């Protein structure tokens, strides 16, 4: 057939739309850790057939957000455990790469965006708004990721970032934000001084902290 002169605007594949909605429901706690995910029920909820739901669940299993248990329905993964620890290590490494590459390229406007995002983070936590705190934290780290413009970093963070967002939600909802805000300030200071490796160490450490926060403590 001839190619149309005017192309329709691109739209996401149905599977991607379903995956995004399921991912967001897991990250925000609508689908709780340990909850069984029955494709027939999810298909009714989302108003789609079972096929894109199954495909989306397979994608989410690869990133560690869901688990397929032998002889049982797929379930939402726990917030703690090996999958989260592995994701934290990988995400920390990606943010280190992004900051090393981005620091020499950051503009004064970029530094200002980081400062504004950190201010918004502190204000959101003080107001008890975990969603806003998460959004501000994401905006803070996105400055370096966007400036680095590393396609591999973007791909890895898109896959494993949501795994850690659940751990961040618990941390920001129950911990004092002053420590994170202070380390954000350290990162801004190093970026302003164009000390890429010092900045990268701080950025990496922020994500590696999640390994401690999500590791189950042994009972004496």
């Amino acid at each position: 057939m001839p190619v149309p002169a005017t192309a329709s605007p691109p739209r996401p594949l149905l599977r991607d739309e379903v995956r995004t909605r399921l991912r967001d429901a897991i990250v925000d706690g609508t689908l709780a850790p340990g909850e069984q995910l029955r494709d027939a029920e999810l298909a009714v909820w989302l108003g789609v057939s079972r096929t894109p739901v199954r495909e989306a669940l397979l994608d989410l299993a690869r990133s560690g957000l869901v688990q397929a248990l032998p002889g049982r329905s797929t379930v939402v993964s726990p917030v703690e455990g090996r999958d989260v620890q592995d994701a934290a290590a990988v995400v920390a490494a990606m943010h280190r790469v992004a900051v090393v590459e981005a620091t020499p390229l950051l503009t004064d406007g970029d530094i200002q965006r980081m400062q504004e995002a950190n201010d918004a983070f502190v204000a959101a936590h003080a107001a008890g708004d975990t969603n806003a705190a998460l959004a501000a934290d994401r905006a803070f780290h996105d400055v370096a990721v966007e400036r680095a413009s590393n396609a591999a970093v973007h791909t890895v963070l898109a896959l494993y970032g949501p795994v850690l967002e659940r751990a961040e939600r618990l941390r920001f909802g129950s911990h004092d934000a002053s420590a994170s805000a202070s380390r954000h300030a350290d990162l801004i200071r190093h970026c302003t001084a164009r000390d890429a490796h010092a900045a990268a160490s701080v950025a990496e450490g922020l994500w590696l902290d999640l390994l401690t926060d999500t590791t189950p403590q042994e009972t004496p």
Side-chain angles (χ1 to χ4, degrees):
M1 61 175 284
V3 177
T6 57
S8 300
R11 64 184 302 275
L13 295 173
L14 181 59
R15 181 189 66 184
D16 294 338
E17 295 174 348
V18 170
R19 181 186 185 281
T20 297
R21 291 190 62 184
L22 290 176
R23 179 201 66 198
D24 291 348
I26 291 170
V27 169
D28 69 19
T30 299
L31 298 173
E35 186 169 347
Q36 290 191 349
L37 302 173
R38 299 179 177 87
D39 53 18
E41 295 177 356
L42 293 172
V44 172
W45 176 49
L46 296 172
V48 299
S49 70
R50 295 171 69 174
T51 298
V53 172
R54 290 170 177 166
E55 293 174 342
L57 289 175
L58 286 173
D59 285 345
L60 293 171
R62 293 187 188 100
S63 68
L65 282 174
V66 303
Q67 296 177 342
L69 303 178
R72 293 180 55 189
S73 300
T74 300
V75 301
V76 178
S77 297
V79 177
E80 72 285 342
R82 180 59 185 270
D83 287 342
V84 177
Q85 294 178 45
D86 289 348
V90 171
V91 168
M94 291 299 98
H95 278 285
R96 182 181 186 91
V97 170
V99 170
V100 166
E101 295 181 356
T103 299
L105 307 175
L106 292 172
T107 66
D108 290 344
D110 292 330
I111 299 296
Q112 182 62 30
R113 285 171 58 203
M114 294 174 72
Q115 184 61 61
E116 291 172 354
N118 196 33
D119 291 343
F121 171 76
V122 173
H125 196 280
D129 190 338
T130 301
N131 288 331
L134 280 167
D137 185 73
R138 191 181 308 116
F140 176 85
H141 291 287
D142 279 351
V143 174
V145 172
E146 292 170 2
R147 182 57 63 191
S149 192
N150 185 315
V153 168
H154 277 278
T155 299
V156 173
L157 292 181
L159 182 62
Y160 292 109
V163 178
L164 296 189
E165 191 167 329
R166 295 192 302 160
E168 287 185 284
R169 182 177 294 276
L170 290 177
R171 182 173 68 176
F172 294 159
S174 60
H175 288 59
D176 183 0
S178 60
S180 291
S182 177
R183 296 180 76 179
H184 287 170
D186 288 341
L187 181 54
I188 293 171
R189 178 168 53 83
H190 292 312
C191 286
T192 302
R194 299 299 187 266
D195 189 338
H197 291 287
S201 293
V202 174
E204 183 179 37
L206 280 162
W207 294 98
L208 288 177
D209 278 352
L210 289 174
L211 292 174
T212 301
D213 291 343
T214 59
T215 301
Q217 301 297 312
E218 294 183 2
T219 303

